[in-house]
Amino acid sequence: MSSVTASPPLVDQAADRLRQDLLSGVHEPGSKLKVELLRTRYGYSSSPLREALNRLTQEGLVVADQRRGFRVAPMSAEDFADITRLRLLLDLQALEESIEHGDDEWEVRSVSAFYRLQKIEARLPEGPLVLNAEWSARHKDFHMALLSATPSPRLLGLCSNLFDQAERYRRFSAKYRTERRAKSDEHQAILDATVERNKTEAVTLLTNHIVRTRESVAAIQRQRDAAEQSAS
């Protein structure tokens, strides 16, 4: 007798589709998210869409105003610096706890996630990897696998949410980046130090990995601001 996997509730479906489009820049930062237009675009009724928007507001990807409705969360160098500051607190804590508590299954999850990420990278042509949706999903899977042995589900959930908030900025940075980052080498080094239980080295490598993106986004924002001032 074959089993049938039930589809996720409509709110979950709507939230997932909206989340992916927000992360990939389909909806511009600061733009209004009109429920009527979203109904046409996604095919859901108003009720699950409003619940999905409220959920994404809690995740920091949408902002709500009682008079103006919902808008895409704005982006700024200051906001990303704050996201990065929190990631450097929470991701590093989760990584340390995972190294302390992780078992063989955790190591297998981490190595497997890295292998899947590598397989995708090998198939992709030259260009910004983060702009590929499949790569982005596997990239998050890898980072979350490394942190998944923390005994705190809430900590892991916060790390996941901050990763998504940072994803918008990673994709923004990738659109304008002129130099290719050797992310595979960075990920390999982080993985090796982690499974070897070298806490100091793993934390240092992950810190550098997170900070490089912050510096890249800040540099690109300065260049765009300068170009806009020159054009005006």
Side-chain angles (χ1 to χ4, degrees):
M1 186 175 180
S2 61
S3 60
V4 177
T5 303
S7 299
L10 289 180
V11 174
D12 293 344
Q13 294 179 36
D16 287 344
R17 290 187 62 186
L18 274 166
R19 185 185 297 106
Q20 289 307 310
D21 282 352
L22 290 167
L23 296 181
S24 60
V26 170
H27 302 289
E28 290 292 322
S31 63
K32 192 170 181 62
L33 294 167
K34 297 182 179 180
V35 174
E36 295 78 11
L37 296 179
L38 296 178
R39 286 177 59 188
T40 301
R41 181 183 184 92
Y42 296 104
Y44 300 108
S45 63
S46 299
S47 181
L49 281 170
R50 289 186 183 279
E51 288 190 51
L53 288 167
N54 281 318
R55 182 180 299 180
L56 294 168
T57 298
Q58 295 174 358
E59 295 179 12
L61 298 176
V62 171
V63 292
D65 186 297
Q66 288 185 347
R67 292 174 298 174
R68 302 181 190 176
F70 297 95
R71 292 182 180 274
V72 180
M75 294 175 66
S76 68
E78 293 77 16
D79 179 56
F80 189 57
D82 190 43
I83 293 169
T84 303
R85 182 178 70 87
L86 289 174
R87 288 192 69 203
L88 290 172
L89 290 172
L90 301 182
D91 282 34
L92 300 183
Q93 178 67 30
L95 182 62
E96 289 186 357
E97 292 182 2
S98 291
I99 291 173
E100 292 172 5
H101 299 281
D103 56 13
D104 291 345
E105 288 299 318
W106 164 71
E107 288 192 19
V108 170
R109 281 198 306 273
S110 299
V111 173
S112 297
F114 175 71
Y115 177 75
R116 287 192 291 270
L117 184 61
Q118 271 195 317
K119 293 291 286 184
I120 291 174
E121 289 184 6
R123 295 201 309 266
L124 292 176
E126 288 293 317
L129 295 171
V130 72
L131 297 180
N132 179 275
E134 187 179 7
W135 184 91
S136 292
R138 294 293 173 260
H139 181 227
K140 180 177 182 179
D141 288 346
F142 169 69
H143 277 275
M144 292 301 103
L146 292 176
L147 310 182
S148 64
T150 172
S152 171
R154 288 186 179 85
L155 176 57
L156 188 61
L158 289 170
C159 292
S160 177
N161 176 240
L162 287 168
F163 193 96
D164 284 345
Q165 291 188 47
E167 179 70 9
R168 290 202 303 159
Y169 289 91
R170 279 190 291 272
R171 295 194 185 201
F172 166 81
S173 173
K175 287 181 181 179
Y176 301 97
R177 187 184 303 133
T178 56
E179 297 180 0
R180 183 181 175 91
R181 273 182 65 181
K183 280 184 173 289
S184 183
D185 295 341
E186 294 179 29
H187 292 145
Q188 178 76 70
I190 295 168
L191 175 67
D192 290 346
T194 299
V195 298
E196 290 168 5
R197 313 295 173 124
N198 188 336
K199 189 187 298 183
T200 300
E201 181 70 7
V203 165
T204 298
L205 290 169
L206 183 58
T207 298
N208 294 338
H209 186 69
I210 293 172
V211 167
R212 282 192 192 100
T213 302
R214 180 191 65 191
E215 293 173 346
S216 176
V217 170
I220 289 167
Q221 188 63 55
R222 286 194 297 268
Q223 292 171 7
R224 295 192 73 205
D225 290 345
E228 289 175 0
Q229 290 178 359
S230 300
S232 61

